[in-house]
């Protein structure tokens, strides 16, 4: 089955911004950058910048998909047996794997430097 595209599109959209892609979320957030540095997390700026570049790509789409597909609690199976399972869309798993890969959860405990919790909080915000 082929899809027929209209010639020239249906109309030109001029009142919408272009898609947010290839966007460095950390470098574009002046307030967050200044707060991290002010609160003793200056040592983490390079890592946060790398994370900002990473999450400004494909993970932006994962976040949108995850927001549209919240976790679903399944208390019983189809036979009435209690199962208490939570079903997650794969986008949630992708986002959690990214957080684990960049070691967000363990940051202040692994690097007990001043400002560790500030850097961790900034990473969570990103």
């Amino acid at each position: 089955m082929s899809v027929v595209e209209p010639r020239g599109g249906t109309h030109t959209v001029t009142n919408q911004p272009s898609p947010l892609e290839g966007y460095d979320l950390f470098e574009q957030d002046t307030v967050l950058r200044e707060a991290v540095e002010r609160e003793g997390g200056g040592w983490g700026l390079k890592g946060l910048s790398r994370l900002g570049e990473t999450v400004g790509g494909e993970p932006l789409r994962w976040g949108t998909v995850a927001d549209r597909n919240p976790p679903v609690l399944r208390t019983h199976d189809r036979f009435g047996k209690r199962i208490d399972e939570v079903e997650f869309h794969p986008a949630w798993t992708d986002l959690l794997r990214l957080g684990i890969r960049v070691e967000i959860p363990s940051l202040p405990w692994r690097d007990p430097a001043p400002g560790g919790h500030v850097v961790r909080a900034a990473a969570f915000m990103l």
Side-chain angles (χ1 to χ4, degrees):
M1 180 175 151
S2 64
V3 176
V4 178
E5 295 290 328
R7 279 182 265 169
T10 58
H11 63 285
T12 302
V13 178
T14 59
N15 65 345
Q16 295 296 311
S18 58
L20 192 59
E21 296 172 340
Y23 186 76
D24 185 337
L25 294 176
F26 185 68
E27 291 301 320
Q28 298 300 319
D29 193 334
T30 305
V31 174
L32 181 60
R33 274 194 342 265
E34 289 176 356
V36 168
E37 196 159 11
R38 181 186 65 240
E39 300 301 325
W43 56 267
L45 292 175
K46 284 185 182 179
L48 289 170
S49 184
R50 283 192 306 274
L51 179 59
E53 290 175 5
T54 300
V55 297
E58 185 66 23
L60 283 174
R61 288 192 258 314
W62 300 341
T64 301
V65 172
D67 285 344
R68 290 184 183 152
N69 297 280
V72 177
L73 173 62
R74 307 255 187 242
T75 58
H76 295 80
D77 67 10
R78 65 187 185 126
F79 302 109
K81 180 182 171 192
R82 185 98 188 183
I83 57 173
D84 291 330
E85 292 179 350
V86 178
E87 182 180 309
F88 288 89
H89 187 278
W92 286 94
T93 307
D94 293 337
L95 288 167
L96 290 170
R97 280 191 185 128
L98 175 62
I100 291 167
R101 189 174 74 228
V102 299
E103 300 176 332
I104 292 172
S106 65
L107 188 61
W109 297 273
R110 190 196 64 206
D111 294 327
H117 287 285
V118 172
V119 174
R120 178 178 184 248
F124 266 116
M125 287 183 64
L126 293 172

